[in-house]
């Protein structure tokens, strides 16, 4: 009886912490300054729920911890600021530890509830802008959003407003996930999908639309496949995307999004980060260390002390170097393949990475939430398969 109470208490506390994380990550407008509480809640979830057996610990988790401690030690040797080292060390720890955590599956409902709230916010704001603002009067509101660090609100014609604010990152992911697990209420599934699609359009991120087009295009050809054949096809698609589609998406998204100087800014950021990493022979291979900041001013902007880049993956590459970045990618591929075994969920993860790669929120709390959700979803599908097998 006491054990049941402990389990119930742990799940309840985990549910509360999960709610705090999702609330803060989706309600960045107006709670962007409270991100520290989301990180603390995430740490609480890890401490309460991380699971591994003795064999798994020595074979998988212990080597990962040793590599992680090496990254921290190396960053401190490089003289990087301790708060920034701790920040990026925690991000990497959360990203890898998330694969070892199985939360109660009902927590996915909280993800749906808070992302639905973000959808309503986007749709409501779009109609307010259309009804009460025009090309001349909306500029103060835009500057207010930018100054608050919430993101942007802009228009080219006055007949449609793009709202790329913080908190949008999980909307396409939840929408895609709904095709494989019961995220939405069964009877109103199509209605909620329409709500999410409308909000995604109003979010004004071209990478979202490209990713959703790719998702539906591939989903059409992968229907009614056996799981084994589906798995092999998805692995092949992953290779093709890394090789061809992601570089093409970066180019197309920059050209088609119509953001002034976006392409030049991103190219400038890449050149600054790569140039900074190549200053010494050692840093090419091992990076500049976690929490590294560049001290360079270009025609586009002053990057001194910057930890925010549009192509955040390149910033991680600057910190990790060739060797550690390859290790990090291989670890994620291995853990995704072993912990998120269902190929449909791997496909959803791939589509998330596809649109997140060209945005500054990849490799942060959003991706940790995605991994935790996919591990939960994998458990749901495994349980369903067991029930079906018993019935047969």
């Amino acid at each position: 009886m006491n054990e049941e109470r402990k389990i119930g208490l742990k799940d309840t506390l985990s549910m509360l912490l999960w709610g705090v994380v999702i609330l803060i990550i989706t309600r960045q407008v107006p709670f962007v300054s409270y991100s520290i509480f989301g990180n603390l809640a995430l740490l609480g979830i890890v401490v309460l729920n991380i699971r591994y057996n003795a064999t798994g610990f020595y074979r998988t988790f212990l080597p990962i911890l040793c590599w992680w401690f090496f990254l921290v030690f190396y960053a401190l040797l490089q003289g990087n600021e301790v708060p920034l080292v701790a920040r990026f060390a925690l991000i990497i720890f959360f990203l890898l530890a998330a694969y070892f955590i199985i939360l109660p599956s009902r927590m996915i409902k909280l993800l749906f509830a808070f992302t639905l709230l973000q959808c309503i916010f986007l749709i409501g704001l779009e109609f307010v802008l259309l009804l009460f603002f025009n090309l001349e009067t909306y500029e103060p509101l835009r500057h207010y959003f930018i100054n608050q660090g919430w993101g942007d609100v802009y228009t080219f014609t006055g007949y449609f407003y793009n709202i790329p604010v913080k908190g949008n990152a999980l909307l396409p992911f939840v929408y895609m996930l709904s095709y494989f697990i019961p995220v939405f209420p069964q009877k109103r599934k199509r209605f909620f999908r329409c709500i999410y699609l409308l909000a995604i359009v109003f979010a004004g991120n071209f990478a979202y639309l490209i990713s959703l087009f790719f998702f539906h295009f591939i989903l059409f050809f992968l229907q009614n496949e056996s799981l084994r054949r589906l798995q092999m096809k998805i692995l092949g698609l992953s290779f093709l995307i890394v090789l061809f589609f992601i570089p093409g998406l970066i180019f197309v998204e920059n050209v088609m999004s119509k953001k002034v100087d976006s392409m030049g800014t991103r190219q400038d950021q890449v050149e600054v980060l790569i140039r900074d990493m190549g200053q010494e022979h050692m840093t090419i291979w091992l990076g500049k260390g976690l929490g590294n900041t560049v001290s360079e001013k270009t025609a586009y902007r002053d990057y001194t002390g910057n930890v925010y880049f549009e192509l955040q993956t390149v910033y991680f590459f600057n910190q990790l170097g060739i060797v550690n970045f390859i290790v990090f990618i291989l670890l994620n591929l291995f853990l995704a393949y072993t912990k998120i075994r269902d190929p449909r969920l791997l496909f959803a993860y791939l589509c998330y990475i596809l649109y997140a790669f060209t945005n500054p929120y990849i490799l942060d709390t959003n991706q940790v939430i995605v991994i935790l959700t996919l591990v939960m979803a994998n458990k749901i599908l495994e349980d369903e398969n067991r029930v079906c097998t018993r019935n047969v």
Side-chain angles (χ1 to χ4, degrees), residues 122-252:
L122 289 175
I123 295 169
L125 181 57
E126 180 73 23
F127 282 104
V128 167
L129 288 165
L130 289 172
L131 290 173
F132 300 106
F133 292 86
N134 56 45
L135 280 169
E136 289 75 32
T137 60
Y138 93 97
E139 285 290 343
L141 181 65
R142 181 187 187 190
H143 291 304
Y144 182 75
F145 268 68
I146 293 172
N147 292 335
Q148 293 295 318
W150 294 345
D152 199 357
V153 176
Y154 65 94
T155 182
F156 297 108
T157 63
Y159 299 107
F160 177 82
Y161 287 83
N162 296 282
I163 313 175
V165 295
K166 293 181 178 179
N168 293 343
L170 296 173
L171 301 185
F173 170 71
V174 174
Y175 170 82
M176 292 184 286
L177 194 64
S178 72
Y179 282 84
F180 308 125
I181 64 168
V183 177
F184 303 149
Q186 190 65 28
K187 292 183 179 179
R188 300 196 175 182
K189 193 160 48 176
R190 290 182 180 177
F191 170 75
F192 284 112
R193 282 179 184 159
C194 289
I195 293 292
Y196 274 74
L197 276 176
L198 193 60
I200 289 166
V201 171
F202 292 158
N205 192 315
F206 192 70
Y208 291 0
L209 302 179
I210 289 288
S211 183
L212 288 185
F213 172 80
F214 174 81
F215 172 78
H216 282 289
F217 180 78
I218 299 301
L219 192 64
F220 176 79
F221 290 102
L222 294 183
Q223 286 177 339
N224 302 320
E225 293 280 358
S226 68
L227 284 183
R228 186 63 184 170
R229 289 177 63 188
L230 185 60
Q231 195 170 31
M232 296 306 296
K233 285 188 176 183
I234 287 174
L235 287 174
L237 283 169
S238 303
F239 175 76
L240 289 175
I241 284 174
V242 171
L243 199 60
F244 299 111
F245 199 80
I246 285 179
L249 175 63
I250 296 170
F251 174 77
V252 171

Side-chain angles (χ1 to χ4, degrees), residues 299-316:
Y300 285 90
R301 66 181 62 178
D302 184 0
Y303 293 102
T304 304
N306 247 21
V307 295
Y308 176 92
F309 294 88
E310 289 192 53
L311 293 176
Q312 197 76 347
T313 312
V314 181
Y315 182 38
F316 263 77

Side-chain angles (χ1 to χ4, degrees), residues 30-50:
F31 300 132
V32 68
S33 58
Y34 294 95
S35 297
I36 182 64
F37 295 107
N39 294 333
L40 290 173
L42 201 55
L43 181 61
I45 289 172
V46 172
V47 171
L48 283 173
N49 295 279
I50 194 162

Side-chain angles (χ1 to χ4, degrees), residues 250-251 254-255 259-268 300:
I250 296 170
F251 174 77
N254 276 295
V255 173
K259 293 180 183 178
V260 179
D261 291 331
S262 178
M263 190 169 184
T265 300
R266 292 185 180 189
Q267 183 179 346
D268 188 56
Y300 285 90

